[in-house]
Every structure is written in structure tokens, then in C-alpha cells.
Amino acid sequence: MNLNATLFAQLVVFFILAWFTMQFVWPPIVKALDERAKKIADGLAAAERGKHDLELATKRSTEALREGKEKAAELLAQAEKRAAQVIEEAKATAKTEADRIVAGAKAEIDQEAVRAKEQLREQVSALVVSGAEKILRREINAQAHADILATIKQDL
Amino acid sequence: MSTAGHEEAAANAPTAGEYIVHHLTQWNSTGHAQKDVIDFSVINIDTMIFSVLMGVLGLFVMWRVAKSVTSGVPGRMQAAVEIVLEMVNDQAKGIVHSAESRKFVGPLALTVFIWIFLMNSMDFLPVDLLPTIWQTITGDHHAYLRVVPTADLNGTLGMSTGVLLICVYYNIKIKGMGGWVHELFTAPFGSHPLLYPVNFAMQMIEFLAKTVSHGMRLFGNMYAGELVFMLIALMGAAWTASATGVSLFLGHIVAGSIWAIFHILIVALQAFIFMMLTLVYVGQAHEAH
């Protein structure tokens, strides 16, 4: 344990080694470490963002699904309503048509009946006249009593 | 006859004391053991060789990693270097608050840690391995060689003096020459003309004590560790074909294993302590009293 010039030599070596480390060893490694730390931080942030996006998308898809269901239900209700309406309209049209046909038929029947009555009346009056003629051939002049015959015919 | 045989054996095999003294003598530029306690005309060649070797080895490995460093998935080597670097960087951040200073102090602390760790690790080699190889190469069976640079006081005091210079540099850089001189004379006791010499003396003692204890702590630990390894080696070397001799041999194996395992802790711990104290002293240089 003697002291000698080794001390100074060691001192110089010490500074040379420290300088070398400062120049060539420390900076690249520290830079790489910082870069990696940044990469990891970015990766974590991206993962967080992805998670958030996924949550949003899930929410949106649920929302869309719900909306679609609602819309479908609404459409179904509308369609049912429309169908009911169509049926009602059809019923109404059919009823009107039926009424019209019935009315027409009735009118025709009435007409027919009037005509038949008219014919009947004429035939009856002719019959009556012919009957009365036969009875009154001898006493009544058809021309003379025409007005009476007409009155009778009117009353039939 | 028996006395002569004994003397011959003593001449060939060194005594325990000689063995240890021989192992604790540096290979220096004079070619013989240093006579005076302090002699700056002498330089320890072995300490220089092994400390430079370890420094270059450690830095070369880290430099290789730094050259191919990637911010993507790191390889095992890169991860290992990163673990050490991050540990050092975290400590530096906690102690030295100036980011500008950390550009130098961080690498400095890393260098100190790796370098001292490697130099301390030379202790794990068998105490006689490199000296014996060296003696065989030179052909001189008394050639000196010490392989642990941190078990040489010059090595550790050299580094702690380096830290002292860095502290002085930061004291001047942060506080300005005037500010630092002002602090030297007014802290710790206060600003009063009567207190100036006391303050200055205290400051000088503080700097001296810091530097000496910084270097001495590491040196003491490694020197003692080396010494224990030598004692354990002596125990094994004394084995003979007798019951006591065999138990000495077993004792060498058991004690050697235990001490080597314990020494792993000391090697890492002392490297860490030296690094931490470097950071603390530099951090103190940044704080005004």
C-alpha cells in the first residue's frame, strides 16, 4: 500500500473512460430507451382509443338495431292499419255497389210492375168492356157510352 | 540430516508471511518493491494493465451494444446493459437534479459502476493463477504481479481524486468562482470575519475526508477480500497426507467457496457504493449551503 504515480495515471484513465461512455455508449442507449418508452406509451394510447372506438361502435350498432326494430314494428302496424282500411273501403264500395244494384233492380221491378199493371189494366178493361159489350150488346151503344167506359177504365 | 532437509524445503517454499507479502507487492516500473511509502517516480504496471484492460473490456461490450441498439424488442445483451444503465440513470436522476449535468454525470456513474465491478471481479480468479502464469512467462519465480487494481490504493485514490476534481468543476460551474469561494469561507458556520478561517478549514477537511474515505473504502474492502483469499489459499497449500492436512484441504474448499460467494456481494456492493458516493458528492456540488 504505497502511493506512487499510478494514482495520476489511474486518474487520467478514469476521465478517458468516462468521456468515452459519455460520447459513445450512453447517448444511443438512452435514446433507444426513450424511443421505446414513447412507442409503448403510443401503443397503450392506441389500445385505449381502440377500446373506446369499439365501445362507441357497439353502442351505435345497438342503437341501429333498436331503431330498425322500431321502424319494422311501425311499418308492420302501418301495413296492418292500411290493410284494415283497404278492407273497410272495399266493404264500403261493395255495399254501395250492392245498394245501387238493389235499387236498380227495385226500380226495374217497379217499372215492370207498373207496366204489368198497365197491361193488366188494359186487358181487364178490354175484358170488362168486351164482357160488358157482350152483356149490353143489345142495349148499349159503344160510341154513346164511351165516356162512361173511359171512367171505368180509369178506376181500374 | 533432517535439519538440512527442513532448511531446503524452507528455501524452496516460502513461509506464509513471505507468500502474502510477495502477493501484496506490486509489479512496478523500478523492477523491485517500492521502498518509500510515497514515491511519485514509481508507477505500478500491473495496476495500470489490469485497470485499463477491465475498462476497455467493459466499455467495448457496452459500445457494441450501443452501436446495434434498437428501440424495438431488445436482445438479452442489450436488455442487460439497459438494466444497468436504467438503474444508474434512476439513481442519478434522484441525486443530481440538473439535467444538463446528468449528460456527463450519468455516463460517469455508469463507467464507475461497470469499471469497478469488473476490476473487483478480478478477485474471483484464483489468487495464484495469473501470478504463476506471469512468473512462468518471465522465467522469474519471484516476479511480482497483483491482479486486482481496486486492491491497490493508487487505483482507488486515483478515481476518488477524479471525483474530487469533478466536484470542484461543478462547484465553480454552478455557483461561479466567486460564489464557490464565498461558500468556502462562509459555510457551514456563517458569514463573520472571525469565522472565515474556521469555515475554510472545515471545508478543506470535508473535501479531504470525502476523497480519502471514498477511495479508502473501496481499497479496504478489496484488499481485505484479497487477503482472505490468500489465507484460504495458504490453508490448502499446507495440506499433507495426514488427518490434519486433509482437513485443511477440505477447509480450503469450504472456506474458499463461502468467501467467493460472499465476495460476489462485496464486489457488486462496493461498485454500487462507489457509484452512489460519486453521485452524492457531485450532487452536493450542485447545492448551495
Side-chain angles (χ1 to χ4, degrees), chain B residues 186-249:
Chain B
T186 55
F189 297 120
S191 180
H192 188 281
L194 277 179
L195 290 173
Y196 287 168
V198 188
N199 284 330
F200 186 72
M202 275 302 287
Q203 291 272 1
M204 288 303 110
I205 290 168
E206 194 184 325
F207 275 114
L208 188 69
K210 270 183 192 172
T211 301
V212 170
S213 71
H214 198 191
M216 278 289 201
R217 179 180 296 104
L218 177 59
F219 161 74
N221 272 279
M222 300 325 293
Y223 190 84
E226 200 184 22
L227 205 57
V228 173
F229 274 121
M230 284 171 200
L231 292 174
I232 292 168
L234 273 175
M235 187 156 67
W239 94 287
T240 48
S242 69
T244 328
V246 169
S247 65
L248 278 173
F249 184 77

Side-chain angles (χ1 to χ4, degrees), chain A:
Chain A
M1 54 168 289
N2 303 310
L3 278 178
N4 56 35
T6 314
L7 195 154
F8 304 112
Q10 186 82 354
L11 176 63
V12 173
V13 172
F14 176 77
F15 278 116
I16 291 172
L17 294 181
W19 170 81
F20 183 88
T21 308
M22 180 181 74
Q23 210 65 23
F24 301 111
V25 175
W26 186 273
I29 297 179
V30 166
K31 190 163 154 266
L33 287 175
D34 289 349
E35 267 170 27
R36 188 178 315 136
K38 194 176 170 301
K39 267 188 196 171
I40 292 171
D42 288 353
L44 286 177
E48 195 58 37
R49 242 192 340 270
K51 218 171 104 186
H52 189 237
D53 285 355
L54 180 68
E55 250 169 42
L56 273 184
T58 312
K59 219 158 121 186
R60 262 210 302 279
S61 75
T62 315
E63 187 75 8
L65 204 65
R66 199 179 56 75
E67 254 174 35
K69 270 186 185 160
E70 260 174 24
K71 195 116 187 167
E74 199 181 308
L75 278 177
L76 205 64
Q78 248 174 23
E80 269 171 9
K81 205 168 134 194
R82 179 92 188 102
Q85 209 177 344
V86 166
I87 290 171
E88 281 307 311
E89 270 173 20
K91 266 187 190 163
T93 317
K95 196 166 163 9
T96 322
E97 189 70 4
D99 286 353
R100 201 171 58 75
I101 291 170
V102 168
K106 239 182 210 161
E108 212 165 310
I109 288 166
D110 285 352
Q111 237 172 4
E112 210 58 41
V114 169
R115 214 169 30 240
K117 260 185 199 165
E118 208 60 42
Q119 264 178 355
L120 206 56
R121 190 182 289 148
E122 288 205 1
Q123 275 174 2
V124 168
S125 64
L127 267 176
V128 167
V129 170
S130 77
E133 240 175 16
K134 273 172 191 164
I135 297 164
L136 299 170
R137 184 142 299 168
R138 297 143 245 174
E139 316 158 27
I140 300 171
N141 188 344
Q143 269 111 25
H145 296 96
D147 58 332
I148 301 165
L149 287 172
T151 321
I152 293 165
K153 211 198 273 182
Q154 203 68 46
D155 291 343
L156 278 172

Side-chain angles (χ1 to χ4, degrees), chain B residues 66-254:
Chain B
K67 243 178 50 166
S68 60
V69 73
T70 166
S71 64
V73 180
R76 285 186 172 177
M77 195 62 215
Q78 192 189 326
V81 172
E82 279 177 9
I83 288 169
V84 177
L85 192 144
E86 291 226 64
M87 182 274 285
V88 173
N89 202 14
D90 285 347
Q91 299 291 356
K93 274 182 188 162
I95 297 169
V96 180
H97 299 299
S98 157
E100 181 59 33
S101 298
R102 274 207 306 274
K103 279 183 188 159
F104 175 63
V105 176
L108 173 80
L110 180 67
T111 311
V112 161
F113 182 70
I114 296 288
W115 192 26
I116 294 179
F117 186 89
L118 288 173
M119 289 194 289
N120 289 354
S121 298
M122 291 300 286
D123 241 354
F124 293 131
L125 296 173
V127 282
D128 279 313
L129 181 67
L130 291 178
T132 306
I133 291 174
W134 177 238
Q135 283 154 14
T136 312
I137 290 171
T138 56
D140 174 8
H141 291 282
H142 292 285
Y144 297 118
L145 187 74
R146 291 187 67 193
V147 300
V148 188
T150 44
D152 176 1
L153 188 57
N154 293 294
T156 61
L157 276 183
M159 289 185 287
S160 63
T161 310
V163 174
L164 173 73
L165 292 181
I166 289 164
C167 287
V168 170
Y169 168 74
Y170 278 113
N171 265 314
I172 295 170
K173 189 187 172 194
I174 302 292
K175 299 160 190 167
M177 193 66 206
W180 185 47
V181 170
H182 179 257
E183 183 182 299
L184 283 180
F185 284 97
T186 55
F189 297 120
S191 180
H192 188 281
L194 277 179
L195 290 173
Y196 287 168
V198 188
N199 284 330
F200 186 72
M202 275 302 287
Q203 291 272 1
M204 288 303 110
I205 290 168
E206 194 184 325
F207 275 114
L208 188 69
K210 270 183 192 172
T211 301
V212 170
S213 71
H214 198 191
M216 278 289 201
R217 179 180 296 104
L218 177 59
F219 161 74
N221 272 279
M222 300 325 293
Y223 190 84
E226 200 184 22
L227 205 57
V228 173
F229 274 121
M230 284 171 200
L231 292 174
I232 292 168
L234 273 175
M235 187 156 67
W239 94 287
T240 48
S242 69
T244 328
V246 169
S247 65
L248 278 173
F249 184 77
L250 290 176
H252 181 179
I253 292 174
V254 172

Side-chain angles (χ1 to χ4, degrees), chain B residues 38-61:
Chain B
I38 298 174
D39 182 355
F40 287 122
S41 66
V42 182
I43 187 161
N44 293 335
I45 298 167
D46 47 6
T47 296
M48 289 322 299
I49 288 176
F50 288 111
S51 65
V52 169
L53 209 62
M54 289 301 109
V56 168
L57 174 73
L59 291 193
F60 177 71
V61 169

